[in-house]
Amino acid sequence: MAETRKRGTRPDFKPGWEPFSLPEDEVLRRGGALFDDGMYWEAHEVWEEVWRMRAGRPDRDFLKGIIQGAAGMWHATQGNYKGAASVLTRAVDYLEPYRPAKDGIDVEALAAALREAAAACRAAMEGGGDPDLRMVRLDLGGR
């Protein structure tokens, strides 16, 4: 299991570049690659850089949606199903105005996967056991 999967500890993650030194689309792509690899906490950290870049822009909530989606998935992989369901539901709400797609992301498919993950977390809280978590790939381009 990757470092991000150790329950009860937050990964010590450094992205490997100086903040604000890369173009916004490259930071989005790198975050997407981490997300696709199941490195949700790391994707969340990377995307926060773009969120800061978009200060004052009307589409900033889109970033909030994908950041919260990644954070919610991280909580789910850590066994915090209550927190995950809450954050994932908020993520879907933030993404709603950007359907069907934005910045190369299939928002429709991502929102559907986040809704399913939130429902799986709620079911796990009610019935015990681990939720069946499936996530779409963002496929934002090269590595």
Side-chain angles (χ1 to χ4, degrees):
M1 259 183 176
E3 184 68 24
T4 194
R5 294 292 171 256
K6 288 186 180 175
R7 287 188 182 205
T9 61
R10 195 165 278 172
D12 182 27
F13 174 71
K14 307 284 187 267
W17 64 87
E18 288 297 315
F20 309 106
S21 65
L22 296 175
E24 188 177 293
D25 62 336
E26 177 63 15
V27 179
L28 276 171
R29 186 196 65 74
R30 290 183 185 200
L34 290 165
F35 187 92
D36 288 348
D37 286 343
M39 306 292 283
Y40 301 119
W41 183 258
E42 294 82 353
H44 152 275
E45 289 288 300
V46 168
W47 285 332
E48 280 190 346
E49 181 177 329
V50 180
W51 181 74
R52 288 183 191 98
M53 289 179 189
R54 290 190 183 179
R57 287 179 41 190
D59 64 346
R60 196 170 188 220
D61 279 353
F62 168 71
L63 268 298
K64 210 182 272 189
I66 64 172
I67 289 166
Q68 288 200 348
M73 289 302 294
W74 183 79
H75 282 293
T77 65
Q78 299 301 299
N80 177 8
Y81 305 137
K82 183 177 181 180
S86 175
V87 174
L88 290 166
T89 300
R90 280 196 313 271
V92 171
D93 291 342
Y94 279 117
L95 291 171
E96 183 65 26
Y98 303 99
R99 293 173 46 221
K102 171 136 181 68
D103 292 341
I105 294 175
D106 181 343
V107 176
E108 192 76 39
L110 177 59
L114 295 174
R115 273 192 294 275
E116 288 175 17
C121 287
R122 285 190 289 275
M125 288 187 309
E126 293 169 7
D130 291 331
D132 182 19
L133 298 172
R134 297 184 192 131
M135 188 44 56
V136 297
R137 290 186 55 81
L138 301 182
D139 289 321
L140 293 178
R143 294 230 176 224

